[in-house]
Amino acid sequence: MDIVDAVRQAAHGMPTAAQSEAGFRDAVSAHALPSGTVPARMSEDMKDSLSAREKDILRLYAQRLTTDEIAARLGIAKGSVFTYVHRAADKLGVTSRKEVLETCARYDLL
């Protein structure tokens, strides 16, 4: 199971294979986004706001590639990878790559 699948399961309240029901609740509470960070429902405009390149890069991060590997695979500069992630974070109203990936998994944006 990759991180995207694990986050999807957590967002739907389902325990992962490696977690007991009690451990699952503790893990979700410990890693939950602060209230207000991500809306309970995402508007269609927000869902469509990510560019194809932003989605490509986020998919590669979700597959656990490094920034250097993503840059090499796409033939772009490492700084460009960071720029695309930063733009995606701004569009989704979050501040970190981790939050971008969690939001994408939660709303099935990739």
Side-chain angles (χ1 to χ4, degrees):
M1 173 182 310
D2 67 8
I3 191 158
V4 174
D5 291 332
V7 172
R8 278 191 184 123
Q9 285 186 332
H12 289 36
M14 300 175 349
T16 61
Q19 296 172 318
S20 68
E21 193 66 22
F24 173 73
R25 281 192 215 101
D26 294 342
V28 169
S29 296
H31 294 96
L33 295 174
S35 83
T37 301
V38 179
R41 294 182 55 121
M42 183 169 284
S43 71
E44 289 304 312
D45 289 343
M46 286 181 79
K47 286 182 179 181
D48 295 334
S49 68
L50 296 180
S51 71
R53 181 61 99 179
E54 290 163 347
K55 289 179 182 180
D56 289 343
I57 289 170
L58 294 172
R59 280 186 199 105
L60 294 172
Y61 270 124
Q63 294 171 14
R64 299 181 188 241
L65 271 68
T66 67
T67 303
D68 289 328
E69 291 169 332
I70 293 169
R73 181 176 287 189
L74 299 177
I76 60 176
K78 185 176 175 179
S80 295
V81 175
F82 291 129
T83 298
Y84 283 113
V85 173
H86 179 76
R87 287 181 185 164
D90 285 347
K91 290 175 182 180
L92 297 175
V94 297
T95 58
S96 70
R97 180 175 64 207
K98 177 184 174 191
E99 289 175 329
V100 170
L101 292 170
E102 289 171 344
T103 302
C104 287
R106 180 176 183 181
Y107 295 108
D108 198 27
L109 301 179
L110 303 178

